[in-house]
Amino acid sequence: MSNTRHLLQASALVAISSVIVYYVFTAFFPFMPSASVEGDKILVLANAHYLVISVLFALIIVFMLYSILVFKRKEGDDGDGVYMHGNTPLEIAWTIMPLGIVVFFAIWGTNLLLDINSSAGDADAFVVEVEGRKWAWKFTYPDGTELASLVVPKDMPVLLQMESADIIHSFWIPEFSVKQDLLPGVKKQLRFTPNKTQQQIIEDQFERTGIEGYRPLVRCAEICGTGHSEMYANVYVMNSLAEAEAEIQRILNDIPEDPIARGEYWWSAEGFNCQSCHSIDGSDGTGPTWLGIYGREELLESGETIIADDAYIQESIYAPNAKIVQGYAANVMIQTYEQEFAAREADLAARGRDDVVILQDIIEFMKSISE
Ligand code: HEC
Ligand SMILES: [Cu+2]
């Protein structure tokens, strides 16, 4: 067989293998379906990477196997191989081509990053202030409402003004593809334009994984301590700005009527995420379990014991460092709940719900799991 025939044959095999490798890659490692304008652009770039990776993989494997199988030593052939010193055109080609590809991707990637981080649309953006802390997210909306969930409109640029209250956290919603670290004392921005509603995101995921009950979440992508895996928040993508504003009001007002259930709501990730440190099933966490807490005899760091009554619980929440439970650390629990409860109660009172006292709800809930 002539050299040209070999080359043509091997090239055809590379082409076929590339396609197969690409399909196997994308079947085994499918991308998260994108739900933002930025995510769509990033997916095109990521897909191009997959393509190049597939061709390179096929190129190496096919030429290697082809050489091993086709140029195998024939029976009785004891001669030396052809002596080759090098092949200058080939060497130039395999230097220039990869360099070209890498430079091409570098330019593409840089432009995309500049485009995604561009502040050009900020004037029309829906601005949300984000605070990350151990271990919860807090979102403050343009009208001042504070919530533990992120609500954004579809087809409108969203600008997040983000800061951490304690250590480094990282804001990540996988379906929007963008991610940004939050640093204490530094405002960081993150921009994205959602182009799918929450319902569409859920349907996409169901189609991809067959798993029911998926919901889009903000996650923390920086290992930030024991409660790291509990540091999440619900994401609601609404059809329009008006719907987003209505949804913020709905979430704010949509709290359980029964004080015990409401106490549990405040404990959960939708409320103040006390659950990231306090269990209600008796298991130990960063803080003591709430199971059986009401009326419990607590041994304090000071060596005293105290009965957990209303006054002690109130002090433990509003001034966490006043008394430290033995075996637990001071300065871990958030110190600002008094103000945060007051702010939430004011938001509720402004909408006619002046009956809600968060501290009382929490105590009622604690009593209900202390029988
Ligand atoms: C970042 C972790 C963390 C979060 C979040 C947190 N706590 Fe705590 N909490 C602690 C730690 C640690 C202690 C034990 C040290 C101490 O006594 O301050 C504690 C102690 C307490 C105690 C006293 C417990 C006892 O057994 O005597 C109460 C009550 C309490 N927390 C309520 C809350 C409430 C209510 C919330 C949510 C609004 C909350 N905590 C959120 C870490 C946390
Ligand atoms: Cu975190």
Side-chain angles (χ1 to χ4, degrees):
M1 226 190 302
S2 75
N3 283 346
T4 329
R5 280 281 307 263
H6 280 305
L7 196 62
L8 282 178
Q9 240 167 35
S11 305
L13 283 173
V14 167
I16 296 166
S17 311
S18 301
V19 175
I20 295 172
V21 169
Y22 177 75
Y23 278 103
V24 171
F25 265 10
T26 43
F28 276 99
F29 308 106
F31 288 116
M32 181 70 115
S34 150
S36 73
V37 172
E38 294 72 15
D40 290 350
K41 293 178 186 169
I42 292 171
L43 269 190
V44 176
L45 175 63
N47 249 312
H49 271 104
Y50 261 11
L51 264 174
V52 171
I53 291 168
S54 306
V55 174
L56 278 178
F57 185 78
L59 196 67
I60 293 164
I61 297 297
V62 166
F63 272 98
M64 192 176 77
L65 291 181
Y66 194 91
S67 309
I68 291 174
L69 298 174
V70 177
F71 301 122
K72 194 169 181 288
R73 185 179 68 88
K74 302 277 173 323
E75 192 70 23
D77 177 4
D78 290 330
D80 287 338
V82 183
Y83 177 73
M84 254 198 262
H85 183 69
N87 187 325
T88 311
L90 198 58
E91 279 163 24
I92 292 175
W94 79 42
T95 307
I96 301 274
M97 265 160 54
L99 187 69
I101 294 174
V102 169
V103 169
F104 172 74
F105 273 101
I107 293 173
W108 186 352
T110 310
N111 279 332
L112 186 54
L113 191 63
L114 290 174
D115 173 27
I116 286 171
N117 289 338
S118 154
S119 57
D122 283 4
D124 311 312
F126 182 71
V127 184
V128 185
E129 283 188 30
V130 181
E131 188 191 80
R133 64 189 189 190
K134 291 191 278 181
W135 283 285
W137 298 100
K138 193 168 79 182
F139 303 96
T140 311
Y141 292 94
D143 68 352
T145 310
E146 286 181 5
L147 281 183
S149 301
L150 178 63
V151 183
V152 289
K154 183 173 156 261
D155 298 327
M156 190 174 160
V158 175
L159 170 62
L160 303 182
Q161 297 281 9
M162 312 200 292
E163 199 170 344
S164 166
D166 36 48
I167 53 173
I168 302 176
H169 297 283
S170 186
F171 181 100
W172 185 38
I173 302 173
E175 29 281 287
F176 293 161
S177 303
V178 288
K179 185 155 90 178
Q180 173 64 52
D181 281 3
L182 281 71
L183 310 177
V186 186
K187 273 251 190 282
K188 289 281 177 189
Q189 275 87 35
L190 188 65
R191 299 173 177 86
F192 54 85
T193 308
N195 59 7
K196 279 184 192 157
T197 60
Q198 188 192 14
Q199 197 48 42
Q200 284 169 297
I201 294 175
I202 292 170
E203 280 163 21
D204 274 3
Q205 274 297 331
F206 181 70
E207 204 173 300
R208 185 172 82 108
T209 61
I211 296 168
E212 256 175 282
Y214 178 87
R215 61 205 164 111
L217 295 174
V218 177
R219 295 156 199 274
C220 180
E222 189 76 52
I223 307 266
C224 55
T226 10
H228 166 67
S229 62
E230 298 294 325
M231 191 171 165
Y232 58 83
N234 285 320
V235 178
Y236 300 87
V237 188
M238 310 309 291
N239 262 312
S240 64
L241 180 59
E243 272 187 36
E245 280 163 353
E247 184 70 3
I248 292 166
Q249 301 309 320
R250 185 195 67 74
I251 295 173
L252 185 64
N253 289 316
D254 188 24
I255 47 175
E257 279 312 309
D258 168 44
I260 295 177
R262 212 157 53 215
E264 182 168 12
Y265 175 85
W266 302 127
W267 167 80
S268 76
E270 269 99 271
F272 292 94
N273 215 5
C274 314
Q275 61 109 20
S276 67
C277 293
H278 296 287
S279 81
I280 52 169
D281 63 1
S283 62
D284 202 25
T286 305
T289 182
W290 285 4
L291 186 70
I293 182 176
Y294 193 84
R296 180 160 70 194
E297 205 179 67
E298 295 288 16
L299 181 59
L300 303 178
E301 275 301 328
S302 62
E304 298 165 77
T305 50
I306 195 165
I307 299 290
D309 56 8
D310 290 33
Y312 166 79
I313 290 172
Q314 167 163 354
E315 187 187 49
S316 298
I317 299 173
Y318 287 172
N321 283 344
K323 296 192 177 66
I324 304 300
V325 183
Q326 187 138 85
Y328 296 92
N331 287 318
V332 172
M333 192 163 140
I334 288 154
Q335 317 271 313
T336 51
Y337 285 128
E338 186 166 10
Q339 296 86 297
E340 288 179 36
F341 289 2
R344 178 66 69 96
E345 284 164 8
D347 277 346
L348 285 165
R351 289 164 186 85
R353 291 296 305 260
D354 52 8
D355 58 317
V356 178
V357 182
I358 296 171
L359 179 69
Q360 208 50 50
D361 293 343
I362 290 174
I363 293 176
E364 290 306 318
F365 174 54
M366 287 175 167
K367 280 184 188 163
S368 77
I369 51 174
S370 300
E371 250 85 80

